[in-house]
Amino acid sequence: MQINAYAAMKSGDALTPFTYETQGLAPDQVLIGITHCGICHSDIHLIDDDWKTGAYPLIPGHEIVGTVIEVGNQVKHLKKGERAGVGWQCDSCGYCEWCMQGEENLCSKQQATCVGRPGGYANAICVPAHFAFPIPTALSSAQAAPLLCGGATVYSPLRRFINNPAMRVGVMGIGGLGHLALQFSHAFGCETTAFSTSKNKEPDARKLGADHFIVSNDNAVLKKHQASFDFILATTPKGVDWSAYIALLRPKGVLCIVGALETNITASIMSLVDGRKSICGSNIAGTQTIKEMLEFAARHHIGAQVETVPLTQVNEAVNRVREGKSPYRLVLEVSQ
Ligand code: NAP
Ligand code: ZN
């Protein structure tokens, strides 16, 4: 099948129409006709080569929802005509200790859907079916697409670290990932605070589940909330004064960073030693957690706040995300 996509030919380039042929379906693969693909900030990092992957031509896109066109003869959990979604990861070794536990995102052989492989800014994609998930009927395709990467990435650490609904949770950066994190944290029953550089996001943040809203670009304001949080999830794509966020933690508090930054953290060791605090990172989620997250989102009416844009207007949409002028999630809509 010929697949029609959009690709960047070099770092920072506008995307241009690009076609390629699929090589026939392997027994463990699925071919999906894409209807929706979210624009995650990781796509911007890839297009701009912030991570020095240098993988061009680059067809971005890893928040994919569509309809199954064809399945290989070993595929049991998806059928032709059903909706399916694919996120950041599309392959792993399948037999290491992490893969055996459904934590394929920790496998040393993990492969990303749109790095060195054609991604989802296209009318179709062929991937190993293990990494394609049925979409619950309660979720629309547009609101489900950003759950596949953004939703999974915030659900996984929230689920891991929240062991008590009385915990006080902070979400820093209320964009694609952050606005989903507010919804999950609220649904887990936690007192939830949004940290945002954009004062105008307060009404939305409160509707999405924030009990409190803190304008975060003023360290004097942050200082008033010292030692108040058990868990802070940082989703910003840019570096900040991390020591100001460590100071916000209560004893045993955790600062978890999911923003994919190429910068270093400088923090005093004593600020962690006193009060047994931790800093950690987290990457996407394994397949078990993604399945659970989709079910949980459907049950709690959690989905992305999206604006849809035709795939033909991809460059304008990418620029809006790059410049921080997009709604919570821009989702490309593909006509089949
Ligand atoms: P996004 O939709 O662009 O939102 C980022 C938010 O960060 C903005 O809405 C803004 O929120 C805040 N922000 C603060 N300073 C900013 C700046 N200088 N430029 C842009 N935003 C700024 O991004 P996203 O899709 O949520 O992704 C966020 C980060 O997570 C990216 O680095 C992405 O690559 C990474 N990511 C990591 C994983 C993983 O596995 N760890 C998975 C997916 C994405 P306020 O207006 O509220 O301040
Ligand atoms: Zn992503």
Side-chain angles (χ1 to χ4, degrees), residues 159-195:
R159 173 77 162 72
R160 208 158 57 245
F161 287 103
I162 293 173
N163 51 21
N164 171 356
M167 282 174 74
R168 291 173 225 171
V169 172
V171 176
M172 174 209 171
I174 311 304
L177 268 59
H179 90 291
L180 290 167
L182 290 179
Q183 296 177 63
F184 284 125
S185 173
H186 176 75
F188 287 154
C190 297
E191 187 174 335
T192 303
T193 298
F195 290 92

Side-chain angles (χ1 to χ4, degrees), residues 18-322:
F18 185 91
T19 57
Y20 69 96
E21 290 285 333
T22 49
Q23 301 303 319
L25 209 60
D28 65 341
Q29 287 185 328
V30 60
L31 177 66
I32 298 171
I34 299 173
T35 57
H36 296 84
C37 186
I39 302 182
C40 174
H41 209 105
S42 298
D43 290 334
I44 312 298
H45 291 307
L46 286 172
I47 296 168
D48 294 345
D49 211 13
D50 291 341
W51 302 330
K52 309 290 173 232
T53 46
Y56 301 95
L58 164 79
I59 300 170
H62 59 273
E63 289 187 340
I64 297 163
V65 170
T67 308
V68 174
I69 297 175
E70 198 183 339
V71 293
N73 59 20
Q74 286 173 7
V75 178
K76 303 274 184 267
H77 70 292
L78 287 170
K79 287 193 183 63
K80 189 175 167 177
E82 282 180 349
R83 283 192 309 162
V86 180
W88 174 262
Q89 185 173 4
C90 76
D91 212 353
S92 69
C93 82
Y95 56 81
C96 71
E97 61 181 303
W98 309 112
C99 289
M100 297 308 279
Q101 296 170 56
E103 294 195 288
E104 301 87 341
N105 55 322
L106 304 179
C107 172
S108 64
K109 303 226 165 33
Q110 61 177 291
Q111 292 203 29
T113 304
C114 62
V115 181
R117 292 167 173 248
Y121 294 6
N123 66 340
I125 192 165
C126 182
V127 289
H130 183 68
F131 293 91
F133 306 92
I135 302 297
T137 47
L139 297 170
S140 76
S141 296
Q143 67 173 171
L147 292 174
L148 272 305
C149 175
T153 300
V154 297
Y155 182 86
S156 172
L158 288 168
R159 173 77 162 72
R160 208 158 57 245
F161 287 103
I162 293 173
N163 51 21
N164 171 356
M167 282 174 74
R168 291 173 225 171
V169 172
V171 176
M172 174 209 171
I174 311 304
L177 268 59
H179 90 291
L180 290 167
L182 290 179
Q183 296 177 63
F184 284 125
S185 173
H186 176 75
F188 287 154
C190 297
E191 187 174 335
T192 303
T193 298
F195 290 92
S196 175
T197 59
S198 315
K199 171 80 187 116
N200 62 349
K201 290 184 182 172
E202 177 165 0
D204 284 351
R206 288 190 183 275
K207 272 190 220 141
L208 291 164
D211 301 291
H212 312 285
F213 185 91
I214 295 176
V215 180
S216 56
N217 31 16
D218 182 350
N219 270 11
V221 173
L222 291 184
K223 227 172 174 174
K224 288 191 201 148
H225 300 277
Q226 280 190 355
S228 302
F229 293 90
D230 299 296
F231 183 69
I232 297 177
L233 187 66
T235 76
T236 168
K238 298 282 175 203
V240 297
D241 175 4
W242 296 107
S243 57
Y245 285 88
I246 294 166
L248 295 177
L249 297 174
R250 301 174 72 219
K252 299 203 260 180
V254 175
L255 169 63
C256 177
I257 300 174
V258 291
L261 314 170
E262 283 297 313
T263 55
N264 296 330
I265 296 183
T266 314
S268 103
I269 290 171
M270 284 313 289
S271 69
L272 298 173
V273 170
D274 280 339
R276 256 168 58 196
K277 298 168 193 168
S278 327
I279 306 175
C280 66
S282 191
N283 69 328
I284 48 164
T287 56
Q288 289 309 317
T289 305
I290 293 176
K291 286 175 203 160
E292 180 188 299
M293 178 274 303
L294 287 169
E295 245 187 82
F296 186 87
R299 197 176 316 143
H300 292 270
H301 311 289
I302 291 173
Q305 309 272 305
V306 303
E307 179 186 325
T308 54
V309 176
L311 177 62
T312 48
Q313 291 170 23
V314 63
N315 285 308
E316 188 197 332
V318 161
N319 278 335
R320 284 171 69 194
V321 179
R322 189 186 274 123

